Amino acid sequence: MGTLRDLQYALQEKIEELRQRDALIDELELELDQKDELIQKLQNELDKYRSVIKPATQQVVKQTELHEHQRTKRQAISAEPTAFDIHDLSHVTLPFYPKSPQSKDLIKEAILDNDFMKNLELSQIQEIVDCMYPVEYGKDSCIIKEGDVGSLVYVMEDGRVEVTKESVKLCTMGPGKVFGELAILYNCTRTATVKM
């Protein structure tokens, strides 16, 4: 049998070993949390791209089927509106809605965080910020319905919304997120449903 001193030394070694293991566990838990955040971020990115690609591929399949049935008929699609003169737009005065500096910053940051809008020029982003106005929705409200024609872009100031496509949940979004931009940017119907 060891002496009391030997037993105390062995106990201290075990305590130090447990501390090192606890530190290692803490490091691994932190790394796991970071990886979970990265997975969530990548999942959100993937959901965004799927929401654009799936309607586009469905449209290509439908066009291919139509093309097979009507081979002699040619079609053209243009995303550019042709019913107006570009010079007329220089005289358009955009509406301005006053808002707090915090709201302005939230909108600007949300736009800059959005993959589809972050490459706009700063002057365009400022015009969007100035034109936005507050809208409130109650619990269980449908803000955007998949398939509808859209003319508004939204930025969440507070609360949470659920995004679904064909009744399948894609994600949940909170404050500081832009949604509804695809219908505006690509002149298409709403690609998903967004509910409070």
Side-chain angles (χ1 to χ4, degrees):
M1 283 205 77
T3 64
L4 181 59
R5 182 171 284 184
D6 291 340
L7 291 174
Q8 287 176 335
Y9 180 73
L11 180 61
Q12 286 177 345
E13 283 183 341
K14 290 293 181 187
I15 289 172
E16 183 58 34
E17 185 179 319
L18 287 173
R19 283 187 188 142
Q20 290 175 356
R21 286 185 182 176
D22 284 345
L24 179 60
I25 289 170
D26 289 344
E27 286 178 31
L28 292 173
E29 285 177 343
L30 180 63
E31 187 177 333
L32 186 60
D33 288 343
Q34 291 171 341
K35 296 213 186 249
D36 283 343
E37 286 177 20
L38 178 61
I39 288 169
Q40 184 61 41
K41 182 180 176 184
L42 292 173
Q43 184 63 46
N44 288 342
E45 295 293 317
L46 184 59
D47 291 341
K48 286 181 193 176
Y49 294 124
R50 281 183 179 156
S51 70
V52 173
I53 291 173
K54 191 170 182 179
T57 55
Q58 288 173 347
Q59 194 173 21
V60 168
V61 169
K62 288 177 185 174
Q63 287 176 353
T64 304
E65 291 170 359
L66 178 66
H67 183 67
E68 288 174 2
H69 295 305
Q70 299 174 336
R71 290 198 179 265
T72 58
K73 195 174 187 180
R74 296 283 180 184
Q75 294 181 341
I77 299 174
S78 174
E80 297 289 328
T82 57
F84 66 88
D85 183 3
I86 194 75
H87 299 292
D88 292 342
L89 289 180
S90 63
H91 303 294
V92 173
T93 303
L94 298 173
F96 173 82
Y97 297 93
K99 52 192 71 66
S100 70
Q102 293 85 0
S103 291
K104 288 180 183 180
D105 289 343
L106 177 85
I107 296 167
K108 182 177 178 184
E109 290 303 316
I111 291 170
L112 291 172
D113 186 47
N114 183 277
D115 290 333
F116 300 103
M117 298 180 77
K118 67 184 176 186
N119 295 318
L120 294 172
E121 294 179 17
L122 287 178
S123 62
Q124 293 172 315
I125 292 173
Q126 188 58 51
E127 288 176 344
I128 293 170
V129 170
D130 290 342
C131 289
M132 293 196 94
Y133 55 90
V135 178
E136 292 187 21
Y137 289 92
K139 187 173 173 26
D140 299 324
S141 295
C142 183
I143 301 169
I144 291 176
K145 185 177 177 195
E146 182 178 354
D148 283 356
V149 175
S151 60
L152 297 175
V153 175
Y154 299 87
V155 174
M156 280 288 290
E157 188 167 22
D158 63 312
R160 299 191 80 64
V161 293
E162 184 176 276
V163 182
T164 59
K165 181 166 184 61
E166 298 172 355
S167 301
V168 176
K169 181 179 175 183
L170 297 178
C171 66
T172 301
M173 292 191 299
K177 293 295 179 186
V178 172
F179 59 94
E181 76 282 7
L182 296 179
I184 310 303
L185 294 172
Y186 297 105
N187 195 25
C188 61
T189 58
R190 297 294 192 183
T191 59
T193 297
V194 180
K195 291 183 177 178
M196 285 294 283

